[in-house]
């Protein structure tokens, strides 16, 4: 007499757990469908970049920014629990409040790795950034190579926003 277990939902969590999922670093399970949803969100509202960062050289950064609302706040507050990183609130021109999820390094790479199979628009940027990340982690990336990636990503962003 077996009953199918319902998906477990944590209070305030937009992502029910499922048996068909990958395990995130905090032990929360996230399904392909949820990764696909996040990928669509990232395609529309996200950005990936490599930045020069003082002593450490260069770092991978992921950012998702939304106008502040209860639903956007709930969604973005979930991301640090799943991927690491943090959420900040900012006041933009015209007194428009925004909420921003940011992650760097390993957390950013983990986020990109999870959403990459489902991206439609930012595939090229993410592939460039992830190739850079892997090379850097293996010690195969020079400062010159990193600087080239910085400019490649900036150029791609400019061409999209024309």
């Amino acid at each position: 007499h077996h009953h199918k277990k319902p998906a477990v939902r944590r209070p305030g969590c937009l992502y029910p757990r499922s048996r068909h999922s990958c395990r995130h670093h905090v032990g929360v399970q996230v399904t392909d469908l949820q990764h696909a949803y996040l990928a669509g969100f990232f395609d529309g509202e996200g950005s990936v970049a490599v930045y020069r960062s003082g002593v450490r050289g260069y770092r991978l950064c992921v950012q998702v920014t939304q106008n502040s609302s209860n639903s956007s706040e709930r969604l973005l507050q979930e991301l640090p629990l799943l991927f690491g990183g943090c959420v900040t609130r900012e006041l933009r021109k015209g007194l428009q409040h925004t909420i921003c999820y940011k992650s760097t390094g390993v957390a950013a790479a983990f986020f990109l790795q999870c959403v990459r199979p489902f991206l439609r628009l930012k595939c090229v940027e993410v592939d460039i950034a992830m190739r850079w990340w892997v090379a850097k982690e293996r010690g195969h990336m020079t400062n010159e190579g990193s600087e080239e990636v910085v400019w490649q990503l900036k150029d791609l962003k400019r061409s999209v926003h024309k």
Side-chain angles (χ1 to χ4, degrees):
H1 199 107
H2 295 287
H3 293 287
K4 188 178 177 187
K5 276 187 168 181
V8 177
R9 191 180 282 269
R10 291 185 293 134
C13 177
L14 300 182
Y15 312 107
R17 295 178 189 178
S18 150
R19 276 182 270 144
H20 309 288
S21 60
C22 75
R23 187 168 293 283
H24 285 244
H25 70 290
V26 290
V28 174
Q29 293 189 352
V30 180
T31 65
D32 279 352
L33 181 62
Q34 292 153 343
H35 284 141
Y37 175 81
L38 291 173
F41 198 68
F42 179 75
D43 261 341
E45 308 296 337
S47 66
V48 59
V50 172
Y51 291 113
R52 194 178 316 188
S53 145
V55 181
R56 289 202 180 116
Y58 292 81
R59 65 183 175 159
L60 177 65
C61 300
V62 165
Q63 189 167 306
V64 180
T65 304
Q66 276 279 282
N67 289 334
S68 194
S69 71
N70 287 341
S71 55
S72 66
E73 191 134 340
R74 225 170 65 233
L75 174 65
L76 292 185
Q77 290 291 358
E78 192 74 18
L79 295 180
L81 301 175
L82 300 173
F83 301 100
C86 65
V87 171
T88 59
R89 284 173 196 74
E90 297 168 8
L91 191 58
R92 290 264 168 98
K93 294 177 218 141
L95 301 179
Q96 177 64 58
H97 287 273
T98 61
I99 182 165
C100 182
Y101 165 72
K102 294 177 185 175
S103 64
T104 61
V106 173
F110 180 55
F111 176 85
L112 294 175
Q113 183 181 4
C114 289
V115 299
R116 173 57 185 94
F118 308 100
L119 291 176
R120 305 280 307 266
L121 303 176
K122 291 194 167 89
C123 303
V124 174
E125 294 97 314
V126 168
D127 289 347
I128 289 169
M130 288 304 289
R131 273 195 305 272
W132 173 84
W133 172 257
V134 169
K136 178 183 175 276
E137 289 300 288
R138 291 180 178 162
H140 299 274
M141 184 53 66
T142 63
N143 280 348
E144 293 78 20
S146 294
E147 197 59 33
E148 187 176 318
V149 169
V150 167
W151 287 104
Q152 276 183 307
L153 291 173
K154 282 182 181 180
D155 287 343
L156 278 168
K157 210 172 286 183
R158 271 190 222 108
S159 68
V160 167
H161 292 297
K162 279 184 180 174

